[in-house]
Amino acid sequence: MTTLKEKLIAPVAEEEATVPNNKITVVGVGQVGMACAINKLEGEMMDLQYGSLFLQTPKIVADKDYSVTANSKVVVVTAGVSQQEEESRLNLVQRNVNVFKFIIPQILKYSPDCIIIVVSNPVDILTDVTWKLSGLPKHRVIGSGCNLDSARFCYLTAEKLGTHPSSCHGWILGEHGDSSVAVWSGVNVAGEVHKMVVESAYEVIRLKGYTNWAIGLSVADLIESMLKNLSRIHPVSTMVKGIYGIENEVFLNLPCLLNAQGLTSVINQKLKDDEVAQLKKSANTLWDIQKDLKDL
Amino acid sequence: MSTVKEQLIEKLIEEDEDSQRKITVVGIGAVGMACAISILLKDLADELVLVDVAADKLKGEMMDLQHGSLFFSTSKITSGKDYSVSANSKIVIVTAGARQQEGETRLALVQRNVAIMKSIIPPIVRCSPDCKILVVSNPVDILTYVVWKISGLPATCVIGSGCNLDSARFRYLIGEKLGVHPTSCHGWIIGEHGDSSVPLWSGVNVAGVALKTLDPKLGTDSDKENWKNIHQQVIQSAYEIIKLKGYTSWAIGLSVMDLVGSILKNLRRVHPVSTMVKGLYGIKEELFLSIPCVLGRNGVSDVVKINLNPEEEALFKKSAETLLNIQKDLKF
């Protein structure tokens, strides 16, 4: 007895389970609290699926089992524990290491050829943790880092000048956070705007509890460069040992070329002495924490 | 002493501050923000305004969107508790109000949300007398009627997001069953955006092939493939998603973006949205229900006269009765 589908549609080719070309996985749920999270996961998936008429992503899937992530081109890691009151940064990082020890091998098991974008904070350290846990070559592990800071910088600079952010070029490099470095020839404006960039992130958190829109757009921007093989340059977190005289294996933000293979080049910016000093100082701060991490 | 800006940039003419495609979103809960981000990602507005009563969250959301400015083309994003910031909007999207709790119907929200509309609609209209108001808050059909009454605007300018979402969900599910993209599956759900919505099975088609000609039992209880269940899933979908994640946001945000696109760009696409249906299908009262409407710059410029079969017409009238029962007791 033929189904309606069979009456309507005559297949011309065997439907193969083809490997998707542009599959993206977002890992946003940690091991802790999985029970409540499962429902939220399914709810979010359904809500997105019901928008399919308006989208061009024909397959939206969610699961706590990593097998659904198989053959992903890019995996975005936003999972992580949040800082407890008065918790030290080392402790926070150690707790996140324990979460990543579960997540990263699962990701690699099903998508051995993927590129991982780490978003969870502290991103430079966690990108290093991801790199070590994954065993991936360094061009396939990227920290989203300062792509967002630089976008904020461009926005704030553009506001000051009355132009569109895309016409303002500024680079925030180094450590993603309070000690990032603004590199721009218009030093006076840059210094003031840079301070606003650092403060603005805290302010959004204070006002609405978290940030999400801008970081989401920033990550999409990075993914676009890779999936469309654009070879655009973005300030993202990469392994900087051997650059600017840095001796330890740490991840810091530098201008990097992103394309279909991942992070394939680092741009050699001529930095001033104080900027290089700041980078080295950040490298030491990060190494101080990383060296005490257990179970890596 | 000249500033960096003065040294860098030579002004030739004063900046034109008047926006041509200003959109205001009232209410910055999950739905309002989903509408906002969808509109930004589709580059529909040259100015986006957020309005709400929660001052801190409002500022935080505005800043978070502004920080993404590099990645889209809406050059002005503002916010405020006072409606003066919304002046001269082309479209005002109303998402403010109480939302369904787990297990609660949309109709249960009515009295609370009528009170809210009474306070927000007059300043909206004062500040943007020529706008189109797109009502999203539930129960949307009743609230669109309420907003129309309070606003004093022509009925063509007050539009309820209505069954645009139901039909999108319907087409998604049909697409899943057939292995075809939703945009290639055509199907309309009209009537109440809610439990009494009406699926027009006779019109469901792919490439012009009406599925009902392939299976006359389509959508009935005796249909072995149980296509009727798809409509049930549409009705239950909101309840289910709310149970799982607490609220719905993404799909409604995209649906609103779809409607905004048609209005702002004067596309004259046909959407099932909530409009004044007095005089149609034997309805004698002033009532808003979703029927296929042509949407353009002027709002609802035309409605499509669908031939409902007797069963569909009965269901549509039942939908009307369900709403009238609640509307008649409203005081505002």
Side-chain angles (χ1 to χ4, degrees), chain A residues 1-5 7-9 36 38-58 60 147-148 150-152 154-156 159-168 184 188-189 197 199-201 203-204 206-208 210-215 217-219 221, chain B residues 4-5 8-9 33-34 37 41 55-57 59-61 63-75 164-165 167-169 171-173 176-183 206 209 211-212 214-215 218 224-225 227 233-234 237 240-241 243-245 247-252 254-255 257-258:
Chain A
M1 161 100 164
T2 44
T3 63
L4 192 150
K5 177 177 176 178
K7 287 185 203 170
L8 177 70
I9 297 171
C36 3
I38 296 175
N39 286 344
K40 185 149 169 52
L41 191 60
E42 195 184 341
E44 293 287 9
M45 175 192 73
M46 282 180 72
D47 202 3
L48 289 172
Q49 284 172 338
Y50 280 131
S52 290
L53 178 63
F54 311 113
L55 300 170
Q56 313 253 304
T57 301
I60 298 171
N147 198 49
L148 174 55
S150 301
R152 285 182 173 134
C154 291
Y155 163 71
L156 293 168
E159 282 292 291
K160 253 179 131 62
L161 296 176
T163 61
H164 190 269
S166 57
S167 300
C168 295
W184 196 44
N188 289 336
V189 180
V197 167
E199 280 167 9
S200 65
E203 209 190 335
V204 176
R206 186 180 63 77
L207 292 167
K208 69 176 241 192
Y210 56 90
T211 87
N212 60 332
W213 304 120
I215 179 64
L217 289 166
S218 166
V219 170
D221 183 49
Chain B
V4 164
K5 176 174 179 177
L8 178 69
I9 295 174
M33 290 314 294
I37 194 76
L41 288 171
D56 277 356
K57 183 150 162 61
K59 187 174 176 198
E61 292 289 10
M63 287 176 70
D64 202 3
L65 292 179
Q66 285 171 337
H67 290 162
S69 292
L70 178 61
F71 308 114
F72 48 72
S73 304
T74 299
S75 47
N164 198 50
L165 175 54
S167 301
R169 288 178 170 144
R171 294 169 69 180
Y172 162 71
L173 293 168
E176 284 292 289
K177 219 164 153 75
L178 295 174
V180 171
H181 194 270
T183 50
V206 174
V209 179
L211 299 195
K212 212 159 162 98
L214 300 179
D215 183 359
L218 188 84
K224 286 197 176 66
E225 290 183 44
W227 281 79
Q233 278 182 266
V234 171
S237 59
E240 223 196 312
I241 294 174
K243 196 165 146 201
L244 292 168
K245 70 174 247 194
Y247 56 88
T248 88
S249 56
W250 305 122
I252 180 64
L254 289 164
S255 172
M257 168 205 81
D258 185 46

Side-chain angles (χ1 to χ4, degrees), chain B residues 193-241:
Chain B
H193 170 61
D195 296 1
S196 71
S197 67
V198 184
L200 300 181
W201 290 109
S202 44
V204 175
N205 77 85
V206 174
V209 179
L211 299 195
K212 212 159 162 98
T213 58
L214 300 179
D215 183 359
K217 294 209 174 76
L218 188 84
T220 66
D221 291 322
S222 51
D223 169 17
K224 286 197 176 66
E225 290 183 44
N226 200 9
W227 281 79
K228 186 172 184 171
N229 183 250
I230 284 187
H231 178 233
Q232 276 313 304
Q233 278 182 266
V234 171
I235 293 177
Q236 291 305 316
S237 59
Y239 298 112
E240 223 196 312
I241 294 174

Side-chain angles (χ1 to χ4, degrees), chain B residues 184-200:
Chain B
S184 299
C185 300
H186 303 281
W188 293 79
I189 293 188
I190 61 173
E192 181 202 357
H193 170 61
D195 296 1
S196 71
S197 67
V198 184
L200 300 181

Side-chain angles (χ1 to χ4, degrees), chain B residues 95-327:
Chain B
T95 74
R99 65 169 187 229
Q100 286 160 273
Q101 300 301 309
E102 193 179 326
E104 194 178 20
T105 66
R106 294 177 179 90
L107 294 173
L109 308 169
V110 75
Q111 208 54 67
R112 283 181 277 166
N113 285 342
V114 167
I116 291 174
M117 295 307 145
K118 283 177 71 174
S119 83
I120 68 177
I121 299 303
I124 287 176
V125 179
R126 243 189 341 260
C127 294
S128 305
D130 298 324
C131 76
K132 309 292 166 286
I133 301 183
L134 186 49
V135 182
V136 186
S137 320
N138 276 314
V140 66
D141 305 292
I142 296 184
L143 289 183
T144 310
Y145 164 76
V146 168
V147 167
W148 170 56
K149 280 290 187 197
I150 296 174
S151 69
L153 292 175
T156 52
C157 295
V158 182
I159 304 154
S161 61
C163 289
N164 198 50
L165 175 54
D166 307 57
S167 301
R169 288 178 170 144
F170 194 49
R171 294 169 69 180
Y172 162 71
L173 293 168
I174 294 170
E176 284 292 289
K177 219 164 153 75
L178 295 174
V180 171
H181 194 270
T183 50
S184 299
C185 300
H186 303 281
W188 293 79
I189 293 188
I190 61 173
E192 181 202 357
H193 170 61
D195 296 1
S196 71
S197 67
V198 184
L200 300 181
W201 290 109
S202 44
V204 175
N205 77 85
V206 174
V209 179
L211 299 195
K212 212 159 162 98
T213 58
L214 300 179
D215 183 359
K217 294 209 174 76
L218 188 84
T220 66
D221 291 322
S222 51
D223 169 17
K224 286 197 176 66
E225 290 183 44
N226 200 9
W227 281 79
K228 186 172 184 171
N229 183 250
I230 284 187
H231 178 233
Q232 276 313 304
Q233 278 182 266
V234 171
I235 293 177
Q236 291 305 316
S237 59
Y239 298 112
E240 223 196 312
I241 294 174
I242 290 170
K243 196 165 146 201
L244 292 168
K245 70 174 247 194
Y247 56 88
T248 88
S249 56
W250 305 122
I252 180 64
L254 289 164
S255 172
V256 166
M257 168 205 81
D258 185 46
L259 300 174
V260 167
S262 286
I263 298 170
L264 275 189
K265 297 183 187 183
N266 197 31
L267 293 179
R268 297 182 59 78
R269 286 188 302 176
V270 181
H271 298 266
V273 288
S274 201
T275 192
M276 233 285 280
V277 296
K278 175 176 171 182
L280 300 169
Y281 306 111
I283 293 175
K284 297 189 177 58
E285 296 87 347
E286 280 180 344
L287 181 67
F288 276 67
L289 275 180
S290 285
I291 55 172
C293 299
V294 178
L295 287 187
R297 205 178 284 129
N298 291 331
V300 177
S301 61
D302 313 80
V303 300
V304 176
K305 298 181 279 189
I306 297 193
N307 274 329
L308 299 181
N309 66 36
E311 201 194 325
E312 289 161 345
E313 188 160 341
L315 286 171
F316 190 75
K317 284 189 163 136
K318 191 146 172 262
S319 210
E321 270 162 38
T322 309
L323 295 177
L324 278 169
N325 251 339
I326 304 208
Q327 219 171 268

Side-chain angles (χ1 to χ4, degrees), chain A residues 31-102:
Chain A
Q31 201 176 6
V32 178
M34 247 318 178
C36 3
I38 296 175
N39 286 344
K40 185 149 169 52
L41 191 60
E42 195 184 341
E44 293 287 9
M45 175 192 73
M46 282 180 72
D47 202 3
L48 289 172
Q49 284 172 338
Y50 280 131
S52 290
L53 178 63
F54 311 113
L55 300 170
Q56 313 253 304
T57 301
K59 198 167 171 188
I60 298 171
V61 176
D63 209 306
K64 68 167 185 164
D65 189 314
Y66 280 80
S67 59
V68 304
T69 70
N71 299 310
S72 294
K73 280 279 186 309
V74 177
V75 179
V76 180
V77 181
T78 71
V81 302
S82 48
Q83 202 158 355
Q84 306 291 315
E85 216 177 309
E86 300 199 14
E87 182 178 25
S88 76
R89 214 163 167 218
L90 173 61
N91 208 60
L92 169 68
V93 177
Q94 185 64 62
R95 287 200 296 133
N96 269 324
V97 167
N98 299 336
V99 173
F100 276 49
K101 283 187 72 174
F102 172 75

